[in-house]
Coordinates of all heavy atoms in Angstrom, one line a residue:
M1 N 91.9 83.2 93.3 CA 90.9 84.2 93.2 C 91.6 85.6 93.4 O 92.3 85.8 94.5 CB 89.8 84.0 94.3 CG 88.9 85.2 94.4 SD 87.5 85.0 95.6 CE 87.9 83.8 96.8
N2 N 91.3 86.6 92.6 CA 91.9 87.9 92.7 C 90.9 88.6 93.7 O 89.7 88.6 93.6 CB 91.8 88.6 91.4 CG 92.9 88.0 90.5 OD1 94.0 87.8 90.9 ND2 92.6 87.8 89.2
V3 N 91.6 89.4 94.6 CA 90.9 90.1 95.6 C 91.5 91.5 95.9 O 92.6 91.7 95.5 CB 90.8 89.3 97.0 CG1 90.1 88.1 96.8 CG2 92.2 89.1 97.5
L4 N 90.6 92.4 96.6 CA 91.2 93.6 97.1 C 91.2 93.3 98.6 O 90.3 92.9 99.2 CB 90.2 94.7 96.7 CG 90.2 95.3 95.4 CD1 89.1 96.4 95.2 CD2 91.6 95.9 95.0
L5 N 92.2 93.8 99.2 CA 92.5 93.8 100.6 C 92.1 95.2 101.1 O 92.5 96.2 100.6 CB 93.9 93.6 101.1 CG 94.6 92.3 100.5 CD1 96.0 92.2 101.1 CD2 93.7 91.1 100.8
Y6 N 91.2 95.2 102.2 CA 90.8 96.5 102.7 C 91.4 96.7 104.0 O 91.7 95.8 104.7 CB 89.2 96.5 102.9 CG 88.5 96.7 101.5 CD1 88.4 95.7 100.7 CD2 88.0 98.0 101.2 CE1 87.8 95.9 99.4 CE2 87.4 98.2 100.0 CZ 87.3 97.1 99.1 OH 86.7 97.4 97.9
A7 N 91.6 98.0 104.4 CA 92.2 98.4 105.7 C 91.5 97.5 106.8 O 90.3 97.4 106.9 CB 92.0 99.9 106.0
W8 N 92.3 97.0 107.7 CA 91.7 96.2 108.8 C 91.4 97.0 110.0 O 90.7 96.6 111.0 CB 92.7 95.1 109.1 CG 94.1 95.5 109.6 CD1 95.1 95.9 108.9 CD2 94.5 95.6 110.9 NE1 96.2 96.3 109.6 CE2 95.8 96.0 110.9 CE3 93.9 95.3 112.2 CZ2 96.7 96.3 112.0 CZ3 94.7 95.5 113.3 CH2 96.1 96.0 113.2
T9 N 91.8 98.3 109.9 CA 91.3 99.3 111.0 C 90.9 100.6 110.3 O 91.4 100.9 109.2 CB 92.5 99.6 112.0 OG1 93.6 100.2 111.3 CG2 92.9 98.4 112.7
G10 N 90.1 101.4 110.9 CA 89.7 102.6 110.4 C 88.7 102.5 109.2 O 88.1 101.4 109.1
P11 N 88.8 103.5 108.3 CA 87.8 103.5 107.2 C 88.0 102.3 106.2 O 89.1 101.9 106.1 CB 88.0 104.9 106.5 CG 89.0 105.6 107.3 CD 89.5 104.6 108.3
E12 N 86.9 101.9 105.6 CA 87.0 100.8 104.6 C 87.6 101.3 103.4 O 87.0 101.7 102.4 CB 85.6 100.1 104.4 CG 85.7 99.0 103.4 CD 84.9 97.8 103.9 OE1 84.9 97.6 105.1 OE2 84.4 97.2 103.1
T13 N 88.9 101.2 103.3 CA 89.7 101.7 102.1 C 90.5 100.5 101.5 O 91.2 99.8 102.3 CB 90.7 102.7 102.6 OG1 90.0 103.7 103.4 CG2 91.5 103.3 101.6
P14 N 90.5 100.3 100.2 CA 91.3 99.3 99.6 C 92.8 99.7 99.8 O 93.2 100.8 99.6 CB 90.9 99.3 98.1 CG 90.1 100.5 97.9 CD 89.7 101.1 99.2
V15 N 93.6 98.7 100.2 CA 95.0 99.0 100.5 C 95.9 98.2 99.6 O 97.1 98.4 99.4 CB 95.3 98.7 102.0 CG1 94.7 99.7 102.8 CG2 95.1 97.3 102.3
A16 N 95.4 97.1 98.9 CA 96.2 96.2 98.0 C 95.4 95.3 97.1 O 94.2 95.0 97.5 CB 97.2 95.4 98.9
K17 N 95.9 94.9 96.1 CA 95.4 93.8 95.2 C 96.2 92.6 95.5 O 97.4 92.7 95.7 CB 95.5 94.2 93.7 CG 94.7 95.4 93.3 CD 94.9 95.7 91.9 CE 94.1 96.9 91.5 NZ 94.2 97.3 90.0
A18 N 95.5 91.5 95.7 CA 96.1 90.2 96.1 C 95.4 89.0 95.4 O 94.5 89.1 94.8 CB 96.1 90.1 97.6
T19 N 96.0 87.9 95.7 CA 95.5 86.6 95.2 C 95.4 85.7 96.5 O 96.4 85.5 97.2 CB 96.4 85.9 94.2 OG1 96.6 86.8 93.1 CG2 95.8 84.6 93.6
V20 N 94.2 85.1 96.6 CA 94.0 84.2 97.7 C 94.7 82.8 97.5 O 94.6 82.3 96.4 CB 92.6 83.9 98.1 CG1 92.3 82.8 99.1 CG2 91.8 85.1 98.4
L21 N 95.6 82.5 98.4 CA 96.3 81.1 98.3 C 95.7 80.1 99.1 O 95.7 78.9 98.7 CB 97.8 81.3 98.8 CG 98.7 82.3 98.0 CD1 100.0 82.4 98.5 CD2 98.7 81.8 96.5
S22 N 95.1 80.4 100.3 CA 94.6 79.4 101.2 C 93.5 80.0 102.1 O 93.7 81.1 102.6 CB 95.6 78.7 102.0 OG 95.1 77.7 102.9
V23 N 92.5 79.2 102.3 CA 91.4 79.5 103.3 C 91.4 78.6 104.4 O 90.6 78.7 105.3 CB 90.0 79.7 102.7 CG1 90.0 80.8 101.7 CG2 89.6 78.4 102.1
D24 N 92.4 77.5 104.4 CA 92.5 76.6 105.4 C 93.0 77.1 106.7 O 94.2 77.6 106.8 CB 93.3 75.4 104.9 CG 93.5 74.3 105.8 OD1 93.0 74.4 107.0 OD2 94.1 73.3 105.4
P25 N 92.3 77.1 107.8 CA 92.7 77.6 109.1 C 94.0 77.0 109.6 O 94.7 77.6 110.4 CB 91.6 77.5 110.0 CG 90.7 76.5 109.5 CD 90.9 76.5 108.0
D26 N 94.4 75.8 109.1 CA 95.5 75.0 109.6 C 96.8 75.5 108.8 O 97.9 75.0 109.1 CB 95.4 73.5 109.5 CG 94.2 73.1 110.4 OD1 94.2 73.7 111.5 OD2 93.6 72.2 110.1
T27 N 96.6 76.3 107.7 CA 97.8 76.7 106.9 C 98.7 77.6 107.7 O 98.3 78.4 108.5 CB 97.3 77.5 105.7 OG1 96.5 76.7 104.9 CG2 98.5 78.1 104.9
I28 N 100.0 77.3 107.7 CA 101.0 78.0 108.5 C 101.6 79.2 107.6 O 102.0 79.1 106.5 CB 102.2 77.1 108.8 CG1 101.7 75.9 109.6 CG2 103.3 78.0 109.6 CD1 101.1 76.1 110.9
V29 N 101.4 80.4 108.2 CA 101.9 81.6 107.6 C 102.7 82.4 108.6 O 102.2 82.8 109.7 CB 100.7 82.5 107.0 CG1 101.3 83.8 106.4 CG2 99.9 81.8 106.0
G30 N 103.9 82.7 108.4 CA 104.8 83.5 109.3 C 105.0 82.6 110.6 O 105.1 83.2 111.6
G31 N 105.0 81.2 110.5 CA 105.2 80.5 111.6 C 104.0 80.2 112.5 O 104.2 79.4 113.5
E32 N 102.8 80.7 112.1 CA 101.6 80.5 112.9 C 100.5 80.0 112.0 O 100.4 80.4 110.8 CB 101.2 81.8 113.5 CG 102.2 82.4 114.5 CD 102.3 81.7 115.8 OE1 101.2 81.1 116.2 OE2 103.4 81.6 116.4
P33 N 99.6 79.2 112.5 CA 98.4 78.7 111.7 C 97.5 79.9 111.5 O 97.4 80.8 112.4 CB 97.8 77.7 112.6 CG 98.3 77.8 113.9 CD 99.6 78.5 113.8
L34 N 96.9 80.0 110.3 CA 96.0 81.1 110.1 C 94.8 81.3 111.1 O 94.5 82.4 111.5 CB 95.2 80.8 108.7 CG 96.1 81.0 107.5 CD1 95.3 80.7 106.2 CD2 96.6 82.5 107.3
G35 N 94.2 80.1 111.5 CA 93.1 80.2 112.4 C 91.9 80.6 111.7 O 91.9 80.9 110.4
P36 N 90.7 80.7 112.4 CA 89.4 81.0 111.7 C 89.4 82.4 111.3 O 89.9 83.3 111.9 CB 88.4 80.7 112.8 CG 89.1 80.8 114.1 CD 90.5 80.3 113.8
G37 N 88.8 82.7 110.2 CA 88.5 84.1 109.8 C 89.7 84.8 109.2 O 89.7 86.0 109.1
T38 N 90.7 84.1 108.8 CA 91.9 84.6 108.2 C 92.3 83.9 106.9 O 92.2 82.6 107.0 CB 93.1 84.6 109.2 OG1 92.6 85.3 110.4 CG2 94.3 85.4 108.6
Y39 N 92.7 84.5 105.9 CA 93.1 83.9 104.6 C 94.6 84.1 104.4 O 95.1 85.2 104.8 CB 92.4 84.4 103.4 CG 90.9 84.1 103.3 CD1 90.1 84.7 102.3 CD2 90.3 83.2 104.2 CE1 88.8 84.3 102.2 CE2 88.9 82.9 104.1 CZ 88.2 83.5 103.1 OH 86.8 83.2 103.0
E40 N 95.2 83.2 103.7 CA 96.6 83.5 103.2 C 96.4 84.0 101.8 O 95.8 83.5 100.9 CB 97.4 82.2 103.1 CG 98.8 82.3 102.6 CD 99.5 81.0 102.3 OE1 98.9 79.9 102.2 OE2 100.8 81.1 102.2
V41 N 97.1 85.2 101.6 CA 97.2 85.9 100.3 C 98.6 86.2 99.9 O 99.5 86.3 100.7 CB 96.3 87.2 100.3 CG1 94.9 86.8 100.7 CG2 96.8 88.2 101.4
I42 N 98.7 86.4 98.6 CA 100.0 86.9 98.1 C 99.6 88.3 97.6 O 98.7 88.5 96.8 CB 100.6 86.1 96.9 CG1 101.9 86.6 96.7 CG2 99.8 85.9 95.8 CD1 102.9 85.6 95.9
V43 N 100.4 89.3 98.0 CA 100.1 90.7 97.7 C 100.7 91.0 96.3 O 102.0 90.7 96.1 CB 100.7 91.7 98.8 CG1 100.5 93.2 98.3 CG2 100.1 91.4 100.1
N44 N 99.9 91.4 95.4 CA 100.4 91.7 94.0 C 100.8 93.1 93.8 O 101.7 93.5 93.2 CB 99.2 91.3 93.0 CG 99.0 89.8 93.1 OD1 99.8 88.9 93.2 ND2 97.7 89.5 93.0
V45 N 99.9 94.0 94.4 CA 100.1 95.4 94.2 C 99.7 96.1 95.5 O 98.6 96.0 96.0 CB 99.3 96.1 93.0 CG1 99.4 97.6 92.9 CG2 99.6 95.3 91.7
A46 N 100.6 97.0 96.0 CA 100.2 97.9 97.1 C 99.5 99.1 96.7 O 100.1 99.8 95.8 CB 101.5 98.2 98.0
I47 N 98.3 99.4 97.2 CA 97.7 100.6 96.8 C 97.9 101.7 97.8 O 98.3 102.9 97.5 CB 96.1 100.4 96.8 CG1 95.8 99.3 95.6 CG2 95.4 101.7 96.5 CD1 94.4 98.8 95.6
K48 N 97.8 101.4 99.1 CA 98.1 102.3 100.2 C 99.3 101.8 100.9 O 99.2 101.0 101.9 CB 96.9 102.4 101.1 CG 97.0 103.6 102.1 CD 95.6 103.9 102.7 CE 95.7 105.1 103.5 NZ 96.5 105.1 104.7
R49 N 100.5 102.2 100.4 CA 101.7 101.5 100.8 C 102.1 101.6 102.2 O 102.8 100.7 102.8 CB 102.9 102.2 100.0 CG 102.7 102.0 98.4 CD 103.7 102.6 97.7 NE 105.1 102.2 98.0 CZ 105.6 101.1 97.5 NH1 104.9 100.2 96.7 NH2 106.8 100.7 97.9
D50 N 101.6 102.5 103.0 CA 102.0 102.7 104.4 C 101.1 102.0 105.4 O 101.1 102.1 106.6 CB 102.1 104.2 104.8 CG 100.8 105.0 104.6 OD1 99.9 104.4 103.9 OD2 100.7 106.1 105.1
T51 N 100.1 101.1 104.8 CA 99.3 100.4 105.7 C 100.0 99.4 106.5 O 100.8 98.5 106.0 CB 98.2 99.6 104.8 OG1 97.4 100.6 104.2 CG2 97.3 98.8 105.8
I52 N 99.9 99.4 107.8 CA 100.5 98.4 108.7 C 99.8 97.0 108.6 O 98.6 97.0 108.6 CB 100.6 98.9 110.2 CG1 101.4 100.2 110.3 CG2 101.1 97.8 111.1 CD1 101.5 100.9 111.5
L53 N 100.6 96.0 108.5 CA 100.0 94.6 108.4 C 99.4 94.3 109.7 O 99.9 94.5 110.8 CB 101.1 93.6 108.0 CG 101.8 93.9 106.7 CD1 102.9 92.9 106.5 CD2 100.8 93.8 105.5
P54 N 98.2 93.5 109.7 CA 97.6 93.0 110.9 C 98.3 91.9 111.5 O 98.2 91.7 112.8 CB 96.2 92.5 110.4 CG 96.4 92.2 108.9 CD 97.5 93.1 108.4
H55 N 99.2 91.2 110.8 CA 100.0 90.1 111.4 C 101.4 90.3 110.9 O 101.8 89.9 109.8 CB 99.5 88.7 111.0 CG 98.1 88.6 111.3 ND1 97.6 88.2 112.6 CD2 96.9 88.6 110.5 CE1 96.2 88.0 112.5 NE2 95.8 88.2 111.3
Q56 N 102.2 90.9 111.7 CA 103.6 91.2 111.2 C 104.5 90.0 111.5 O 104.3 89.4 112.5 CB 104.1 92.4 112.0 CG 103.3 93.7 111.7 CD 103.5 94.8 112.7 OE1 104.5 94.8 113.5 NE2 102.7 95.8 112.6
C57 N 105.4 89.7 110.6 CA 106.3 88.7 110.7 C 107.6 89.0 109.9 O 107.5 89.8 109.0 CB 105.7 87.3 110.2 SG 105.3 87.3 108.5
E58 N 108.7 88.4 110.4 CA 110.0 88.6 109.7 C 110.2 90.1 109.6 O 110.1 90.8 110.5 CB 110.0 87.8 108.4 CG 109.9 86.4 108.6 CD 109.7 85.6 107.2 OE1 110.1 86.1 106.2 OE2 109.4 84.4 107.2
D59 N 110.5 90.5 108.3 CA 110.9 91.9 108.0 C 109.7 92.6 107.4 O 109.9 93.6 106.8 CB 112.1 91.9 107.1 CG 111.8 91.1 105.8 OD1 110.9 90.3 105.8 OD2 112.5 91.4 104.8
L60 N 108.5 92.1 107.6 CA 107.2 92.7 107.0 C 106.6 93.6 108.0 O 106.0 93.0 109.0 CB 106.3 91.6 106.5 CG 107.0 90.6 105.5 CD1 105.9 89.6 105.0 CD2 107.6 91.3 104.2
L61 N 106.4 94.9 107.7 CA 105.6 95.8 108.6 C 104.6 96.4 107.9 O 103.5 96.5 108.4 CB 106.7 96.8 109.2 CG 106.0 97.9 110.1 CD1 105.4 97.3 111.3 CD2 107.0 98.9 110.5
Y62 N 104.8 96.9 106.7 CA 103.9 97.6 105.9 C 103.4 96.8 104.7 O 104.1 95.9 104.2 CB 104.5 98.9 105.4 CG 104.8 99.8 106.5 CD1 106.2 100.0 106.9 CD2 103.9 100.6 107.2 CE1 106.6 100.9 107.9 CE2 104.2 101.4 108.2 CZ 105.6 101.6 108.5 OH 106.0 102.4 109.5
I63 N 102.3 97.1 104.1 CA 101.8 96.3 102.9 C 102.8 96.5 101.8 O 103.0 95.5 101.1 CB 100.4 96.9 102.5 CG1 99.7 95.8 101.6 CG2 100.4 98.2 101.9 CD1 99.1 94.6 102.3
S64 N 103.5 97.6 101.7 CA 104.5 97.7 100.6 C 105.6 96.7 100.8 O 106.3 96.3 99.8 CB 105.0 99.1 100.6 OG 105.6 99.5 101.8
D65 N 105.9 96.3 102.0 CA 106.9 95.3 102.3 C 106.5 93.9 101.8 O 107.4 93.0 101.6 CB 107.3 95.2 103.8 CG 107.8 96.4 104.4 OD1 108.5 97.2 103.7 OD2 107.5 96.7 105.6
A66 N 105.2 93.7 101.7 CA 104.7 92.4 101.5 C 104.4 92.1 100.0 O 104.0 91.0 99.7 CB 103.4 92.2 102.2
V67 N 104.7 93.0 99.1 CA 104.4 92.8 97.7 C 105.3 91.6 97.2 O 106.5 91.5 97.5 CB 104.8 94.1 96.8 CG1 104.7 93.7 95.3 CG2 103.9 95.2 97.2
T68 N 104.6 90.7 96.6 CA 105.1 89.4 96.1 C 105.3 88.3 97.2 O 105.8 87.3 97.1 CB 106.4 89.4 95.2 OG1 107.5 89.7 96.1 CG2 106.3 90.5 94.1
R69 N 104.8 88.6 98.4 CA 105.0 87.8 99.6 C 103.6 87.3 100.1 O 102.6 87.9 99.8 CB 105.7 88.5 100.7 CG 107.0 89.2 100.4 CD 108.1 88.2 100.4 NE 108.5 87.6 101.7 CZ 109.2 88.1 102.6 NH1 109.8 89.2 102.5 NH2 109.5 87.4 103.7
S70 N 103.7 86.2 100.7 CA 102.5 85.5 101.3 C 102.3 86.1 102.8 O 103.2 86.1 103.5 CB 102.8 84.0 101.4 OG 101.8 83.4 102.2
I71 N 101.1 86.6 103.0 CA 100.7 87.1 104.3 C 99.3 86.7 104.7 O 98.6 86.1 104.0 CB 100.8 88.6 104.4 CG1 99.7 89.2 103.3 CG2 102.1 89.2 104.1 CD1 99.5 90.8 103.6
A72 N 99.0 86.8 106.0 CA 97.7 86.5 106.6 C 96.9 87.8 106.6 O 97.4 88.9 106.9 CB 97.8 85.9 108.0
W73 N 95.6 87.7 106.1 CA 94.7 88.9 106.2 C 93.3 88.5 106.6 O 92.8 87.4 106.3 CB 94.6 89.5 104.8 CG 94.2 90.9 104.8 CD1 92.9 91.4 104.6 CD2 95.1 92.1 105.0 NE1 93.0 92.8 104.7 CE2 94.3 93.2 104.9 CE3 96.4 92.2 105.2 CZ2 94.8 94.5 105.0 CZ3 97.0 93.4 105.4 CH2 96.1 94.6 105.2
P74 N 92.7 89.4 107.5 CA 91.3 89.0 107.9 C 90.3 88.8 106.7 O 90.2 89.7 105.8 CB 90.9 90.2 108.8 CG 92.1 91.0 109.0 CD 93.1 90.6 107.9
S75 N 89.6 87.7 106.7 CA 88.7 87.4 105.6 C 87.6 88.4 105.5 O 87.1 88.6 104.4 CB 88.1 86.0 105.7 OG 87.5 85.8 106.9
S76 N 87.2 89.0 106.6 CA 86.1 90.1 106.5 C 86.6 91.4 105.9 O 85.8 92.2 105.5 CB 85.7 90.4 108.0 OG 86.7 90.9 108.7
K77 N 87.9 91.4 105.6 CA 88.4 92.6 104.9 C 89.0 92.3 103.6 O 89.9 93.0 103.0 CB 89.5 93.3 105.8 CG 89.1 93.7 107.2 CD 88.1 94.8 107.1 CE 87.6 95.3 108.4 NZ 86.7 96.4 108.2
I78 N 88.4 91.2 102.9 CA 88.7 90.8 101.6 C 87.5 90.8 100.7 O 86.5 90.3 101.1 CB 89.4 89.4 101.6 CG1 90.7 89.5 102.4 CG2 89.6 88.9 100.2 CD1 91.3 88.1 102.6
K79 N 87.7 91.4 99.5 CA 86.5 91.4 98.6 C 87.0 91.0 97.2 O 88.0 91.5 96.8 CB 85.8 92.7 98.5 CG 85.2 93.1 99.8 CD 84.4 94.4 99.6 CE 83.8 94.8 101.0 NZ 83.1 96.2 100.9
P80 N 86.3 90.0 96.5 CA 86.8 89.7 95.2 C 86.7 90.9 94.2 O 85.9 91.8 94.4 CB 85.7 88.7 94.7 CG 84.8 88.4 95.9 CD 85.1 89.4 96.9
Y81 N 87.5 90.8 93.2 CA 87.5 91.8 92.1 C 88.0 91.1 90.8 O 88.7 90.2 90.8 CB 88.3 93.1 92.4 CG 89.8 93.0 92.0 CD1 90.2 93.6 90.8 CD2 90.7 92.3 92.8 CE1 91.5 93.4 90.4 CE2 92.1 92.2 92.4 CZ 92.5 92.8 91.2 OH 93.8 92.7 90.8
K82 N 87.6 91.7 89.7 CA 88.0 91.2 88.4 C 89.0 92.2 87.8 O 88.6 93.4 87.7 CB 86.8 91.0 87.4 CG 85.9 89.9 87.9 CD 84.8 89.7 86.9 CE 84.0 88.5 87.5 NZ 83.1 88.0 86.6
P83 N 90.2 91.8 87.4 CA 91.1 92.7 86.8 C 90.6 93.2 85.5 O 89.8 92.5 84.8 CB 92.3 91.8 86.6 CG 92.2 90.6 87.4 CD 90.7 90.5 87.6
A84 N 91.0 94.4 85.2 CA 90.6 95.0 83.9 C 91.0 94.2 82.7 O 92.1 93.6 82.7 CB 91.0 96.5 83.8
A85 N 90.2 94.0 81.7 CA 90.7 93.4 80.5 C 91.7 94.1 79.8 O 91.9 95.3 79.8 CB 89.4 93.1 79.6
S86 N 92.6 93.3 79.1 CA 93.7 93.9 78.4 C 93.1 94.7 77.2 O 92.1 94.5 76.6 CB 94.6 92.8 77.8 OG 95.5 93.3 76.9
T87 N 93.8 95.8 77.0 CA 93.3 96.8 76.0 C 94.2 96.7 74.8 O 94.2 97.7 73.9 CB 93.3 98.3 76.6 OG1 94.6 98.6 77.0 CG2 92.2 98.4 77.7
S88 N 94.9 95.7 74.6 CA 95.8 95.7 73.4 C 94.9 95.5 72.2 O 93.9 94.9 72.1 CB 96.8 94.4 73.5 OG 96.0 93.2 73.5
S89 N 95.4 96.2 71.1 CA 94.6 96.1 69.8 C 95.4 95.3 68.8 O 96.7 95.4 68.8 CB 94.3 97.5 69.4 OG 95.5 98.2 69.2
R90 N 94.7 94.7 67.9 CA 95.3 94.0 66.8 C 94.9 94.6 65.5 O 93.7 95.0 65.3 CB 94.9 92.5 66.9 CG 95.4 91.7 68.0 CD 95.1 90.3 67.8 NE 94.6 89.8 69.1 CZ 94.4 88.5 69.3 NH1 94.6 87.7 68.3 NH2 94.0 88.1 70.4
R91 N 95.8 94.6 64.6 CA 95.5 95.1 63.3 C 95.9 94.2 62.1 O 96.7 93.4 62.3 CB 96.2 96.5 63.0 CG 95.7 97.5 63.9 CD 96.4 98.8 63.7 NE 95.9 99.7 64.7 CZ 95.8 101.0 64.5 NH1 96.2 101.5 63.4 NH2 95.4 101.8 65.4

């Protein structure tokens, strides 16, 4: 499922586009189980690159560090979205 990740602190601002990988609280991300209320996502595009991650691990501090990587994100700060349709034209 394609989703927008919203800032986990401060104003409700979209910070990244991502894909949900797991909603299972027993899934291990960064060496820790997700637990309740947290999803595993893969970050596809950073929108607000300097957003600090809610669960820092390894060399990941900012959302920009996590592009193409799997991270944990609070489920209350995730909203589904539909990517724009391709605008390619055929002749």
Side-chain angles (χ1 to χ4, degrees):
M1 168 179 21
N2 291 315
V3 296
L4 285 174
L5 305 182
Y6 283 80
W8 59 281
T9 61
E12 181 131 328
T13 306
V15 298
K17 294 179 181 179
T19 303
V20 174
L21 298 178
S22 179
V23 299
D24 180 352
D26 295 325
T27 299
I28 304 295
V29 177
E32 299 289 328
L34 287 176
T38 307
Y39 291 173
E40 178 186 18
V41 300
I42 187 164
V43 177
N44 301 318
V45 177
I47 297 170
K48 194 164 185 298
R49 300 180 57 79
D50 61 347
T51 300
I52 295 176
L53 298 174
H55 305 280
Q56 298 165 11
C57 62
E58 299 172 13
D59 57 342
L60 307 179
L61 176 62
Y62 299 103
I63 197 76
S64 59
D65 299 331
V67 174
T68 73
R69 305 283 297 272
S70 165
I71 62 169
W73 202 265
S75 59
S76 63
K77 299 296 182 177
I78 295 176
K79 294 184 181 175
Y81 88 99
K82 293 188 180 191
S86 174
T87 58
S88 64
S89 60
R90 293 190 224 190
R91 294 181 181 211

